[in-house]
């Protein structure tokens, strides 16, 4: 701030500055205005309100400065307007605006837009209204001035009677008036845009109608230029956001009448079509009901008749009317916007849209074309198509040498490009579902795109390739595909893949498929070429490859860099989706790919496309990276015999690329090296001759050089280390790499393990080597010891990823017999000491790994490893409930200790120190395991626990004894001395715990010896009541274990089925009975699955519910026999479940669908489109299920469908994680928007779903910002009543916080949506965010800090 500006200014300070505004010195005028701005900003909002005279003089001074001859003074005067308007009395505001509207710049003024710029600045400075919230007094006063003065001055007449002079009638002129000599002021339209954007929600209907009429007058006037008309279209689109439904309908009818007019000119038609497209982009949801009436007029200029007439005109006159092509371009643009924005409403026009896209994608009057739709759509004559493409492939001339008018005169390429975008919109919005599954896209759209490979204009070629690549991408959606050559890339940062419909012409699309990183031990064999399906999208793509690949090869040979990169990306997507598919075509495309890899990195793309991006802005380096990625994908997905003929060419290219100075090229080349190494090594290749050795040596040398290079980027060194690990592991036990080379390489890995920047990469490389090393001469014991100790040292680090990787590598070292044998006692003792701190039950993922390593170390040296510290750690683990992999790993440790004869101290510790203080089930399982594995060495016998069970008075001791005996019976099997009557008497115990513990113990003991136990259990199930319920638990344990262990119980299955089914008719037994039946179906699916399917249609809701639960219990099993039995019937079963009339059963059915999509995706996902309507229907409020209940003097509404609705939303949420590519995102988004207004639990769930949508479908999320803002505003504006209970207050607070969190995420994801834009889209969101940022500032800041802390 200037030294002349006081800290607490008054009106007198302003008055002292005003004379200086008239000084002859422009610099003094400028500095005075600068001080005026500072004073206005520093002063309080009311410091001028008491001095009317000073306010008026200040306004006059600023107005005079606006017409100053000096431009800098004018600019400074504009800066004064905002602070001044906020501090002057409201009664001065209308005359201030009026004077601004009458302001005239000097004749010699450079900038004649100063008056409208000043008005725009003033409008932007006013406090704005917030939808859903009553306007503040300052906002109301500002808009009153606007309504009273500015809007009448814009339209030229008084719209709303506010009283006073000129209360009615016309004004002298309107700012939007069209003059015969100079047209209309475009800056005035910009002012309207800002006015509507800021105050559209407060405008009265007559004002909106008046502004609409003024815009339409400009729109209809032939004297107005096209640029100004485009501004008018933007203003109309913004106004449409605030139209009432009646006004919008009237406006649409007016547009239709204009399109019907007999005097419609081509320019007017083009502008009306542009207006329709702008409306579809601005108000897609509201325009949806009118799409049916509007779209026929969009399609009209694109009809077959118009197409034929265009070619006839060209034939007759030798040229086309450019206005005709402009109309076609505008129609195609409008059609694309409608397809992208009004997806569901455009479904009836799918057929016409496809016809239009296919028709005009080849629109080129310069080339002879009969324009026959039938020829383009009929693809039965495959031989003819192949011959045409072969002719194209044999041509030697460039694309640009085709005949016709000069490229400068020809604008038909714009039509072709827009037609391609129409096809892209169809693929992006309808490519997941009907059009892809029924073959429409591959039968009609894809051949038309392939025919455009010979396109002359590069911009169109890029669109064609991007569109075809999008179709291939959609074909691969939902299919798990391995896309990279590395085995573990946790040390390389990767971007999160998003499922967006936004075009990415040349971006690397490896992330668009689900990456399935596999361990090298599972990635040894050559890729198995599975037979292509007979039908479906992948079969269609396979049939199309014979037409597509030759055309792509032609493009790769003789087109600019951007188009080459787009072609390479297309091929890469094809290889990834088809998991190969180039075996027959590799000879055609190999040399062009090699040329792309060897291209100069400094070469810059030659595209001049205005839509540059991705491939359009390609460079030599980006092309090389894409080509290398393609080469790596080919090596990964094709057999070694296919790749072998090209190895001699591949090696020099890859070696050169690895040495490239650009780190991205070098890193990608190292990925290819990994793929090539796998091609050249066993078992994919059995050749170990001299030539093969020289090739491997060359790759080894370049990898080692990059690791040791001091100037190499960190990412390159990390990638080189990983490549070295792959090479060492793949050449293990072969003659391909001699020991004299392996030894320094192994030492290099050890050296890099001790370097912080390369430590994680080295750990992963060592893991690969340890997994595959099997030869005596491949390692030195000293090296193994050093590596093991260094890996153990990393376990103390705070980096969780590093600790996990180190544990994984230690496990690989421990399970390798040659590595574990190289460890001496001292090293083993050090490792145990390092592992003990990780044996913490609070960190289960690391605990399981640590227990696995401990198990192997015990086998190596049980006496040193099993000590008091280890026993103490093992005892502490069972103090908390553990299950799954952790429990399995724990029991392996205990079993190993017992089998090695070192179990006595542990048994004593478990009995003495733990006993009943831990979970009896877990402790009993551990003791039972140790009892059987340790046999006579653990100091106790099974009879001791039988006696304990008989004599103990404490319920916990009985439960512990039962658990021990059950586990012992399971492990002893037929040799067990235990009988069923050891457990069954305890069913009658009065304790809450003992009967159930006895039932589970009976089942586990019976699983070890089913022939002795099952007859007793089945006979006892004739009893009713609690005993039957307990026996079902026993039966479940037996079925679960025998199913896994493949024990034959076929003699009892029929009786088990009958007894379980009969028991399940009792409501209390339904859940456990369903689990037993599900386990039985897993054991004998062909016998019992049809019976279970019949029970889904039982007349009893209880039986149907039991059957639904039983089906769900079958899903976690991975048995192939079960999958084969489920495949033909599962979808019909799910349809039956979801259509059940009982609400409870439908809730169970939704849970069942969740489990099915997670566990059986290959069976369910292809048919998900049939199931989704039922799920979506259950997510809607059913008024028939809402009833009123009277409680005293009050009446409450009870929604019986709420629980089903919650389950439906939970299912949708789960499907977003497991099958998003298979669901219709707009339909799901409709339910999310509706759920934001639903009950609290659903509202919270919808916030979570919305957060996921930001990443999964950012484009659709961006389009939904306005309705999201409306729902969010209502939630934040809701205030609990003063007498509300604590629970209601907490719910409201939680809902508000959830909304603010999602709002911040949306703001971060779409920063441009929170600021002003030229379209009406996002108006409500911008207003909402401005309100949130102002009224909830502290909460937003707290959320931002919390998100930052979580990110770090």
């Amino acid at each position: 701030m200037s030294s002349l500006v006081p800290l607490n200014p008054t009106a007198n300070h302003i008055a002292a500055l005003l004379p200086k505004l008239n000084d002859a010195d422009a610099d003094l005028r400028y500095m005075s205005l600068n001080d005026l701005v500072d004073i206005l900003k520093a002063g309080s909002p009311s410091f001028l309100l008491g001095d009317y005279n000073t306010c008026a003089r200040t306004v006059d001074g600023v107005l005079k400065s606006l017409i100053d001859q000096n431009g800098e003074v004018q600019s400074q005067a504009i800066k004064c307007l905002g602070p001044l308007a906020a501090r002057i009395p409201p009664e001065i505001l209308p005359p201030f605006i009026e004077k601004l509207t009458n302001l005239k710049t000097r004749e010699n003024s450079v900038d004649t837009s100063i008056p409208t710029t000043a008005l725009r600045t003033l409008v932007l400075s006013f406090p704005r209204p917030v939808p859903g919230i009553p306007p503040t007094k300052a906002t109301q006063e500002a808009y009153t001035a606007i309504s009273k003065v500015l809007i009448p001055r814009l339209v030229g007449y008084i719209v709303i009677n506010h009283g006073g002079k000129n209360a009615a009638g016309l004004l002298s002129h309107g700012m939007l008036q069209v003059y015969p000599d100079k047209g209309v002021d475009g800056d005035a339209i910009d002012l309207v845009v800002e006015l509507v954007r800021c105050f559209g929600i407060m405008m009265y209907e007559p004002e909106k109608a008046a502004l609409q009429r003024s815009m339409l007058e400009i729109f209809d006037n032939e004297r107005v230029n096209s640029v100004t008309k485009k501004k008018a279209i933007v203003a109309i689109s913004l106004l449409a956001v605030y139209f009432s439904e009646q006004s919008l309908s009237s406006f649409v009818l007016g547009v239709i009448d204009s399109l019907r007019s007999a005097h419609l000119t081509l320019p007017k038609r083009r502008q009306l079509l542009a207006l329709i497209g702008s409306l579809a982009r601005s108000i897609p949801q509201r325009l949806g009901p009118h799409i049916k009436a509007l779209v026929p007029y969009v399609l009209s200029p694109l009809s077959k008749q118009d197409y034929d007439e265009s070619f006839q005109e060209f034939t007759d006159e030798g040229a086309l009317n450019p206005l005709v092509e402009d109309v076609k371009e505008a129609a195609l643009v409008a059609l694309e916007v409608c397809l992208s924005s009004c997806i569901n409403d455009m479904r009836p026009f799918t057929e016409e849209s496809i016809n239009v896209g296919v028709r005009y994608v080849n629109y080129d009057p310069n080339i002879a074309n009969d324009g026959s739709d039938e020829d383009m759509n009929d693809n039965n004559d495959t031989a003819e198509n192949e011959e045409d493409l072969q002719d194209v492939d044999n041509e030697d001339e460039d694309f640009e040498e085709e005949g016709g008018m000069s490229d400068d005169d020809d604008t038909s390429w714009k039509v072709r490009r827009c037609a391609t975008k129409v096809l892209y919109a169809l693929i992006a919005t309808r490519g997941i579902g009907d059009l892809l599954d029924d073959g429409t896209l591959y039968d009609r759209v894809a051949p038309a795109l392939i025919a455009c490979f010979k396109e002359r204009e590069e911009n169109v070629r890029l669109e064609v390739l991007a569109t075809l690549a999008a179709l291939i991408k959609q074909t691969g959606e939902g299919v798990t595909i391995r896309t990279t050559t590395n085995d573990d890339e946790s040390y390389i940062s990767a971007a999160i893949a998003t499922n967006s419909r936004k075009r990415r012409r040349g971006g690397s699309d490896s992330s668009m498929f689900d990456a399935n990183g596999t361990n090298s031990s599972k990635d040894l064999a050559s890729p198995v070429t599975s037979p292509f399906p007979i039908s479906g999208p992948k079969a269609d793509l396979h049939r199309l490859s014979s037409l597509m690949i030759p055309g792509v090869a032609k493009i790769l040979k003789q087109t600019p860099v951007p188009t080459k990169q787009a072609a390479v990306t297309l091929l890469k997507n094809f290889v990834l989706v088809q998991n190969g598919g180039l075996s027959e075509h590799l000879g055609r495309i190999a040399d062009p790919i090699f040329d792309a890899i060897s291209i100069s990195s400094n070469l810059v793309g030659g595209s001049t496309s205005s839509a540059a991006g991705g491939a359009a802005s390609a460079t030599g380096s980006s092309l090389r990276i894409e080509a290398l990625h393609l080469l790596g994908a080919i090596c990964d997905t094709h057999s070694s015999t296919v790749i072998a003929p090209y190895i001699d060419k591949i090696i020099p290219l890859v070696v050169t690329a690895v040495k490239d100075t650009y780190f991205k090229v070098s890193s990608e080349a190292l990925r290819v090296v990994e793929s090539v190494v796998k091609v050249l090594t066993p078992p994919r290749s059995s050749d170990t001759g001299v030539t093969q050795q020289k090739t491997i040596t060359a790759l080894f040398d370049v990898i080692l050089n990059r690791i040791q290079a001091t100037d190499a980027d960190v990412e390159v060194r990390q990638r080189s280390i990983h490549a070295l690990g792959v090479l060492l592991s793949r050449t293990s036990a072969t003659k391909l790499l001699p020991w004299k080379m392996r030894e320094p390489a192994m030492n290099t890995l050890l050296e890099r393990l001790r370097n912080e920047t390369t430590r994680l990469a080295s750990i992963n490389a060592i893991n690969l080597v340890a997994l595959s090393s099997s030869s005596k001469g491949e390692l030195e014991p000293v090296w193994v010891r050093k590596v093991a100790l260094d890996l153990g040292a990393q376990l103390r680090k705070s980096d969780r990823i590093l600790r996990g990787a180190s544990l994984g590598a230690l496990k690989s070292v421990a399970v390798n017999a040659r590595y574990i044998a190289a460890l001496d006692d001292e090293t083993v003792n050090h490792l145990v000491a390092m592992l003990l701190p990780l044996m913490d039950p609070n960190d289960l993922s690391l605990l399981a790994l640590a227990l696995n390593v401990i198990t192997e170390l015990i086998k190596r040296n049980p006496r040193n490893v099993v000590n008091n510290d280890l026993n103490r750690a093992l005892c502490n683990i069972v103090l908390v409930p553990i299950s799954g992999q952790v429990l399995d790993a724990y029991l392996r440790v205990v079993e190993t200790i017992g089998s090695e004869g070192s179990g006595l101290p542990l048994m004593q510790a478990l009995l003495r120190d733990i006993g009943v203080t831990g979970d009896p089930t877990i402790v009993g399982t551990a003791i039972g395991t140790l009892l059987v594995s340790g046999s006579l060495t653990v100091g106790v016998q099974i009879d001791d626990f039988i006696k304990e069970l008989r004599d103990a008075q404490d319920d916990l001791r009985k439960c512990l004894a039962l658990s021990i005996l059950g586990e012992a019976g399971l492990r002893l099997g037929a040799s067990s001395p235990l009988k069923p009557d050891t457990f069954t008497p305890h069913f009658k115990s009065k304790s809450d715990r003992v009967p159930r513990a006895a039932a589970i113990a009976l089942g586990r003991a019976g699983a070890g010896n089913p022939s002795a136990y099952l007859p007793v259990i089945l006979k006892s199930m004739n009893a009713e009541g609690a005993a039957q319920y307990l026996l079902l638990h026993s039966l479940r344990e037996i079925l679960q274990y025998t199913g896994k262990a493949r024990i034959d119980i076929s003699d009892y299955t029929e009786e088990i089925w009958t007894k379980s089914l009969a028991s399940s008719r009792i409501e209390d037994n339904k859940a456990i009975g369903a689990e037993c039946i599900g386990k039985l179906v897993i054991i004998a699916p062909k016998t019992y699955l049809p019976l279970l399917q019949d029970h889904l249609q039982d007349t009893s809701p209880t039986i149907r519910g039991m059957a639904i639960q039983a089906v769900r219990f079958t899903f976690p099993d991975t048995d192939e026999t079960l999958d084969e039995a489920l495949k033909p019937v599962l979808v019909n079963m799910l349809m039956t479940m979801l259509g059940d009339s009982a609400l409870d059963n439908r809730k169970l059915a939704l849970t069942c669908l969740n489990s099915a999509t997670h566990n059986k995706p290959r069976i369910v996902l292809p048919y998900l489109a049939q199931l989704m309507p039922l799920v979506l229907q259950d997510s809607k409020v059913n008024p028939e299920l809402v009833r009123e209940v009277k409680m005293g003097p009050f009446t409450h509404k009870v929604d019986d469908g709420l629980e089903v609705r919650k389950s439906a939303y939970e299912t949708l949420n789960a499907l977003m994680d497991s099958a998003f590519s298979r669901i219709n995102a707009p339909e799901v988004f409709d339910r999310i928007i509706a759920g934001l207004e639903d009950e609290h639990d659903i509202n919270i769930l919808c916030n979570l779903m919305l957060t996921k949508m930001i990443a999964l479908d950012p484009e659709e999320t961006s389009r939904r910002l306005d309705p999201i803002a409306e729902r969010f505003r209502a939630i934040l504006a809701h205030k609990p009543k003063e007498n509300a209970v604590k629970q209601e207050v907490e719910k409201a607070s939680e809902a508000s916080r959830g909304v603010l969190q999602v709002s911040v995420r949306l703001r971060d994801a779409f920063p441009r949506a929170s600021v002003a834009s030229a379209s009406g889209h996002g108006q409500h969101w911008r207003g909402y965010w401005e309100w949130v940022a102002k009224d909830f500032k502290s909460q937003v800041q707290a959320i931002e800090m919390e998100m930052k802390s979580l990110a770090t």
Side-chain angles (χ1 to χ4, degrees), residues 220 222 257-269 272:
D220 294 336
E222 296 181 358
D257 290 340
S258 298
L259 287 167
R260 286 175 177 170
S261 174
H263 305 289
L264 181 65
T265 62
L266 290 175
K268 180 65 180 295
R269 190 179 194 182
L272 287 169

Side-chain angles (χ1 to χ4, degrees), residues 296-556:
Y297 297 97
V298 175
L299 295 171
S300 177
L302 304 172
S303 66
K304 175 71 164 54
Q305 181 181 353
D306 276 62
Y307 185 90
D308 293 338
E309 289 175 357
S310 298
F311 278 92
Q312 187 61 43
E313 179 184 354
F314 183 80
T315 303
D316 296 341
E317 302 181 12
L320 280 176
N321 183 352
L323 293 177
V324 173
E325 292 190 340
D326 288 346
V327 169
K328 294 183 185 298
E329 181 186 358
L332 287 166
V333 170
L335 181 60
E336 181 210 353
V337 174
C338 290
L339 286 169
S340 300
S341 302
C342 308
I343 299 171
N344 293 327
D345 300 295
M346 284 296 293
R347 284 182 177 269
F349 301 97
T350 300
E351 182 67 21
E352 294 94 328
S353 300
I354 293 174
N355 288 338
V356 165
V358 171
R359 182 182 301 132
Y360 281 94
V361 79
N362 289 301
Y363 175 79
D364 195 346
N366 279 335
I367 299 176
N369 192 327
D370 62 6
S372 172
D373 265 353
E374 290 75 19
D375 289 345
M376 281 182 284
N377 293 335
D378 183 9
N379 300 292
N380 294 326
D381 193 358
T382 305
E384 182 180 346
N385 287 334
E386 289 179 348
E387 183 179 350
D388 291 343
L389 277 173
Q390 188 64 37
D391 291 340
V392 171
D393 191 44
N394 291 335
E395 291 176 357
D396 292 327
E397 66 275 8
D398 291 337
F399 294 116
E400 289 77 6
E401 293 178 1
E402 299 178 20
M405 70 176 74
S406 69
D407 288 343
D408 293 336
D409 299 327
D410 180 21
T411 58
S412 64
W413 66 270
K414 296 181 181 179
V415 176
R416 298 195 298 277
R417 183 179 65 176
C418 292
T420 309
K421 291 182 177 181
V422 168
L423 295 178
Y424 187 99
L426 278 165
I427 291 169
T429 57
R430 302 286 302 283
I432 301 175
D434 52 352
L435 294 186
L436 186 65
D437 293 336
D438 65 13
T440 300
L441 295 178
Y442 276 109
D443 290 343
R444 300 176 58 190
V445 174
L449 292 171
I450 292 172
C452 295
F453 281 176
K454 57 183 179 180
E455 169 64 45
R456 295 174 293 120
E457 175 61 40
E458 184 182 359
N459 291 331
V460 182
R461 285 201 302 273
L462 287 172
E463 291 291 346
V464 168
L465 291 168
T467 304
L468 191 56
L471 176 56
I472 295 173
K473 171 185 173 181
Q474 297 284 38
T475 305
E477 290 288 0
V479 180
T480 302
I481 299 172
R482 181 170 177 269
T483 63
T484 58
T485 62
N486 50 301
D487 305 296
D488 186 348
E489 289 196 343
S490 59
Y491 55 92
I492 303 290
S493 61
I496 298 176
T498 60
N499 188 346
S500 172
R501 292 194 291 270
K502 187 176 180 180
R503 258 190 302 277
R504 294 182 178 89
R505 284 203 185 94
S508 178
D509 288 329
S510 63
S511 60
M512 69 189 177
F513 305 102
D514 294 333
N516 183 20
T518 57
N519 198 297
S520 65
S521 62
K522 300 178 183 178
D523 187 34
L524 294 175
S526 286
V528 178
T529 305
S530 56
F532 287 104
I534 299 174
S535 61
K538 294 190 73 174
D540 296 334
L541 177 57
H542 175 61
R543 286 192 290 270
L544 196 70
S545 61
S546 60
L547 300 176
M548 181 179 69
I549 303 302
V552 175
K554 169 77 173 181
I555 292 174
L556 285 172

